[in-house]
C-alpha cells in the first residue's frame, strides 16, 4: 500500500523522511529519462462558476499576502525550490501548463515572467509545449500576442457552450461567440495550437443547442477540442440548485447521446479521439502535457493546492493562496502532505489512465483476472477485437460511453 507522509508542521517533514524537499532515491531513479513537465496553478477567478469545485478564489475571498500583483514572484519562488530539490542533474522540461482558475487574469507580462524564470532554472526541450488556459473575456489580441512572444505555444479557451441560456446556467460570464472570436485572435497572434473546452449535459441544453455549440467550434480555427460531461460536484452552487429542485440532475442517457453526437460531428470534421474526452486533428495537435499525466510520468505542480508526482512520490500544496504565499515567504516548503506509491499502486494507476487512451493499454499490464475480464469485454463489444489480437486493450465506441465501468471491471 502507499505510504502517507505528513508534512503539516511549518518546519516541513520530519528529518530524514521523504518529501518534496527530500526526494528518496527510488524517486530519483529514471529522473533524467522520464518525461517531465511543469504545472503552474493560478488560483484567481473573477467570479465562481456554479459548477466549479476547483481550488479557485475571487478577490472577495482572499486576504493579505494572496494578491494577484505578487503572485508571479511567489510562483517563481517555488520554481526555485523545485530546481534546488531536483538538481544537480535536472530533468529536461518537455511541457509547461498554466492552469487555474483563470491564468489570464494575471497580466501577460507576469505569465511570461514565470515562464522565463522556469527557462532560466531548468533545461527546456527544443520543441517544448507551453500551454495556458484562458477565459475568452480575459484575453485580447494584444495580450495573446504578448503571450506568444513570451514563449507560449498553445492556448486552451473555456467555451463551454454557444447557447446563452446554457452559459447562464453555468454562470459563465462570456457572451456566445466570444470564444470563437478569441480562437481567431490566438491564431492571428501566432499560436501553433488552439483548443476549445466544451461542457455537455447542462440542464436546459437541447440537442439543437449542443449541435450549435459543435458547429461554432468547427467554424473556429482550432485543432483540438475537449468535451466533458457536466458533473454536479458536492458543495457547488449547481449542486445546491439541484438539491432544491430548481434544476434537474443531468440524465445519463442524454449525456451518452450528447457524447455520440460530439464524436460523430468532430470525426466528420477530421478530428480523432485520442483520450475519451479529447479530440485532435493530428498527433502534433494532442495536448502533450495531459499525455504526460496519462502516462504517469513526472511533473512538478507549482501553486496553492497543486499536485506533483516524481518517481512514485506524490505531494500536494496547501490550498489557500495566503497560506501558500506565507510559507514561501518564510523560506519553507508549501507542501501539505505526501505519499509514496508502491509498485502495485503505480501499476493500478497506469491501467486506470491507459485504458482511456486510443493508443490503448498492453494486456500484459493487467492482472490475470483483468485479462480474463478483458476477453469478456471484447465479446461484449466494449474492447476492440482487432486491438485485442495485437495484445492491446482499446475501447470501442460503445466502450467509451462506459469507460469508467470498464476501468472498474478490469482493475477490481
Amino acid at each position: 500500500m502507499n505510504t502517507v507522509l505528513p508534512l503539516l508542521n511549518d518546519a516541513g517533514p520530519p528529518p530524514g523522511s521523504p518529501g518534496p524537499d527530500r526526494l528518496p532515491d527510488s524517486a530519483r531513479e529514471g529522473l533524467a529519462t522520464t518525461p517531465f513537465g511543469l504545472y503552474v496553478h493560478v488560483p484567481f477567478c473573477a467570479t465562481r462558476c456554479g459548477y466549479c469545485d476547483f481550488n479557485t478564489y475571487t478577490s472577495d475571498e482572499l486576504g493579505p499576502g494572496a494578491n494577484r500583483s505578487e503572485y508571479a514572484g511567489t510562483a517563481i519562488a517555488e520554481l526555485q525550490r523545485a530546481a534546488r530539490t531536483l538538481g544537480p542533474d535536472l530533468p529536461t522540461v518537455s511541457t509547461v501548463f498554466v492552469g487555474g482558475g483563470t491564468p489570464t487574469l494575471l497580466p501577460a507580462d507576469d505569465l511570461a515572467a514565470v515562464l522565463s524564470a522556469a527557462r532560466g532554472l531548468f533545461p527546456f526541450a527544443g520543441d517544448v509545449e507551453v500551454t495556458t488556459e484562458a477565459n475568452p473575456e480575459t484575453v485580447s489580441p494584444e495580450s495573446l500576442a504578448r503571450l506568444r512572444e513570451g514563449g507560449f505555444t498553445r492556448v486552451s479557451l473555456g467555451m463551454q457552450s454557444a447557447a446563452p441560456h446554457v452559459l447562464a446556467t453555468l454562470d459563465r460570464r462570456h457572451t456566445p461567440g466570444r470564444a470563437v472570436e478569441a480562437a481567431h485572435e490566438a491564431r492571428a497572434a501566432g499560436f501553433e495550437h488552439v483548443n476549445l473546452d466544451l461542457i455537455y449535459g447542462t440542464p436546459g441544453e437541447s440537442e439543437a443547442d449542443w449541435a450549435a455549440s459543435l458547429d461554432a467550434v468547427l467554424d473556429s480555427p482550432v485543432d483540438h477540442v475537449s468535451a466533458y460531461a457536466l458533473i454536479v460536484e458536492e458543495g457547488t452552487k449547481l449542486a445546491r440548485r439541484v438539491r432544491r429542485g430548481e434544476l434537474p440532475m443531468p440524465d445519463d442517457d442524454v449525456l451518452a447521446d450528447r457524447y455520440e453526437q460530439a464524436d460523430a460531428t468532430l470525426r466528420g470534421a477530421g478530428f480523432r479521439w485520442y483520450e475519451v474526452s479529447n479530440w485532435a486533428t493530428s498527433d502534433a495537435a494532442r495536448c502533450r502535457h495531459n499525455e504526460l499525466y496519462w502516462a504517469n510520468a513526472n511533473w512538478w505542480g507549482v501553486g496553492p493546492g497543486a499536485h506533483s508526482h516524481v518517481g512514485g512520490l506524490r505531494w500536494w500544496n496547501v490550498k489557500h493562496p495566503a497560506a501558500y504565499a506565507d510559507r514561501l515567504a518564510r523560506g519553507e516548503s508549501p507542501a501539505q502532505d505526501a505519499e509514496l506509491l508502491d509498485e502495485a499502486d503505480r501499476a493500478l494507476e497506469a491501467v486506470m489512465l491507459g485504458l482511456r487512451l486510443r493508443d490503448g493499454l498492453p494486456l500484459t499490464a493487467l492482472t490475470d483476472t483483468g485479462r480474463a475480464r478483458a476477453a469478456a469485454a471484447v465479446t461484449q463489444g466494449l474492447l476492440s477485437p482487432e486491438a485485442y489480437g495485437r495484445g492491446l486493450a482499446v475501447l470501442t465506441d460503445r466502450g467509451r460511453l462506459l469507460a469508467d465501468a470498464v476501468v472498474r471491471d478490469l482493475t477490481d
Side-chain angles (χ1 to χ4, degrees):
M1 293 184 60
N2 54 313
T3 303
V4 177
L5 307 164
L7 301 172
L8 292 173
N9 62 80
D10 284 343
S17 59
D21 285 346
R22 199 173 290 108
L23 294 178
D25 290 342
S26 61
R28 289 191 173 278
E29 293 174 6
L31 186 59
T33 56
T34 303
F36 179 79
L38 294 171
Y39 172 76
V40 180
H41 183 68
V42 179
F44 309 115
C45 281
T47 60
R48 183 178 296 281
C49 297
Y51 61 92
C52 181
D53 72 336
F54 292 171
N55 187 43
T56 62
Y57 303 83
T58 65
S59 57
D60 293 339
E61 297 170 322
L62 294 173
N67 59 72
R68 294 183 205 169
S69 63
E70 298 177 0
Y71 188 72
T74 306
I76 290 170
E78 189 180 358
L79 284 170
Q80 292 167 339
R81 294 186 72 90
R84 288 197 300 270
T85 300
L86 295 170
D89 299 319
L90 289 170
T92 298
V93 174
S94 59
T95 66
V96 180
F97 195 103
V98 183
T102 308
T104 44
L105 279 178
L106 296 184
D109 284 344
D110 282 8
L111 297 178
V114 173
L115 179 58
S116 177
R119 282 186 179 275
L121 291 164
F122 290 88
F124 270 44
D127 63 344
V128 63
E129 173 193 88
V130 185
T131 303
T132 185
E133 293 182 330
N135 281 349
E137 74 278 8
T138 64
V139 294
S140 65
E142 294 75 22
S143 69
L144 289 164
R146 178 67 189 98
L147 288 169
R148 185 66 190 94
E149 291 166 6
F152 286 82
T153 64
R154 186 176 182 276
V155 63
S156 180
L157 295 156
M159 175 177 169
Q160 319 317 351
S161 176
H165 66 96
V166 173
L167 293 175
T169 299
L170 295 173
D171 294 316
R172 298 291 294 184
R173 297 185 69 190
H174 65 271
T175 57
R178 175 55 199 152
V180 170
E181 185 179 50
H184 281 281
E185 292 169 357
R187 281 292 191 190
F191 275 88
E192 299 168 30
H193 302 293
V194 181
N195 171 66
L196 284 173
D197 269 348
L198 294 171
I199 290 179
Y200 57 89
T202 300
E205 177 192 66
S206 67
E207 181 180 339
D209 292 332
W210 184 230
S213 295
L214 293 167
D215 288 344
V217 166
L218 297 181
D219 284 340
S220 68
V222 300
D223 58 1
H224 190 285
V225 177
S226 301
Y228 302 100
L230 179 66
I231 297 175
V232 179
E233 301 284 3
E234 280 301 316
T236 62
K237 177 183 174 182
L238 178 63
R240 292 191 293 273
R241 295 186 69 189
V242 169
R243 191 165 54 248
R244 290 194 298 262
E246 296 174 16
L247 295 171
M249 181 70 77
D251 181 89
D252 287 343
D253 290 336
V254 171
L255 294 176
D257 290 343
R258 298 286 185 271
Y259 182 87
E260 290 182 318
Q261 187 179 354
D263 189 55
T265 301
L266 293 168
R267 186 184 305 177
F271 288 79
R272 190 167 184 253
W273 80 278
Y274 70 99
E275 192 273 342
V276 169
S277 299
N278 291 272
W279 292 258
T281 56
S282 66
D283 287 348
R286 295 182 179 191
C287 178
R288 287 195 282 126
H289 188 83
N290 282 343
E291 288 187 306
L292 182 145
Y293 292 152
W294 297 325
N296 225 10
N298 293 334
W299 69 92
W300 191 295
V302 170
H307 285 234
S308 303
H309 173 266
V310 175
L313 180 68
R314 179 187 291 137
W315 67 92
W316 47 98
N317 288 343
V318 292
K319 294 184 72 170
H320 198 279
Y324 170 79
D326 183 57
R327 287 197 180 193
L328 285 165
R330 298 200 308 259
E332 297 167 2
S333 170
Q336 176 173 312
D337 286 296
E339 59 183 356
L340 189 59
L341 305 179
D342 62 21
E343 288 302 318
D345 293 318
R346 297 177 70 179
L348 177 62
E349 289 197 353
V351 171
M352 294 173 65
L353 295 167
L355 279 170
R356 296 181 60 86
L357 302 176
R358 185 188 184 102
D359 291 344
L361 178 82
L363 294 172
T364 53
L366 298 170
T367 63
D368 290 343
T369 300
R371 284 192 289 274
R373 291 180 176 176
V378 171
T379 64
Q380 295 162 2
L382 301 173
L383 292 179
S384 162
E386 187 274 332
Y388 183 84
R390 293 186 286 109
L392 294 172
V394 177
L395 294 169
T396 61
D397 290 349
R398 179 168 178 265
R400 278 188 282 157
L401 293 173
L402 301 168
D404 291 343
V406 176
V407 167
R408 285 194 300 271
D409 188 49
L410 270 59
T411 55
D412 280 348

